[in-house]
Amino acid sequence: MDYYFNKTLNGKSFEEAVEQVTDELKKEGFGVLTEIDVKETLKKKIDVDFKKYKILGACNPHFAHKALQSEDKIGVFLPCNVVVEENDNGEIEVSAVDPIASMAAAKNEALEGIATEVQQKLKRVIDNLK
């Protein structure tokens, strides 16, 4: 089982892609709780150069609440991460975690329906990117 789904965007800058991903997440009820600039962090912390790479910590409060009610330790899998990266060829790739794959480790049947709904929303986010 793949643990993510992704899409390559053509004709967009890295910054435009981050903005579009954030907008599409909002349409599906997600907010971005965290934004980690991996390129900047690696340069600052260990003085290495890395490609443009941002991790967006996306959370849909309604589904997060339902998941936490079903399994209080499920927070170790939250928020749902979405990665925007610039590949060596200049293409922008966006990847989102598959919540079914991540939440399967909890072995809690109550989470299956929640994970399926969140997966469908994240897939729509990825599918709607242009």
Side-chain angles (χ1 to χ4, degrees):
M1 170 187 276
D2 285 335
Y3 59 93
Y4 68 95
F5 30 91
N6 64 335
K7 185 175 196 175
T8 300
L9 308 181
N10 294 312
K12 284 219 182 297
S13 72
F14 182 81
E15 293 74 20
E16 289 170 332
V18 170
E19 186 176 323
Q20 186 185 18
V21 169
T22 302
D23 290 344
E24 291 298 329
L25 284 165
K26 284 180 187 172
K27 290 177 186 175
E28 291 295 332
F30 291 87
V32 175
L33 298 179
T34 59
E35 186 173 314
I36 301 168
D37 186 331
V38 174
K39 176 184 176 73
E40 179 183 299
T41 301
L42 291 178
K43 186 65 175 175
K44 186 185 300 180
K45 298 292 185 182
I46 59 174
D47 196 29
V48 296
D49 293 318
F50 195 71
K51 63 185 174 180
K52 291 180 180 179
Y53 192 106
K54 282 197 179 180
I55 303 170
L56 306 175
C59 181
N60 180 309
H62 172 74
F63 288 107
H65 182 243
K66 284 173 65 173
L68 288 164
Q69 287 179 312
S70 299
E71 178 77 38
D72 70 338
K73 303 301 183 275
I74 204 65
V76 300
F77 292 116
L78 302 178
C80 295
N81 286 330
V82 179
V83 172
V84 180
E85 63 183 295
E86 184 176 69
N87 293 325
D88 291 339
N89 61 6
E91 290 181 332
I92 306 300
E93 184 177 358
V94 180
S95 306
V97 67
D98 183 342
I100 291 176
S102 61
M103 291 193 185
K107 295 182 174 65
N108 179 333
E109 288 182 20
L111 292 171
E112 291 175 12
I114 298 165
T116 299
E117 288 183 78
V118 174
Q119 181 198 57
Q120 290 167 351
K121 287 181 167 296
L122 289 173
K123 279 188 173 183
R124 275 195 298 273
V125 167
I126 298 296
D127 289 344
N128 289 335
L129 297 173
K130 298 188 183 337

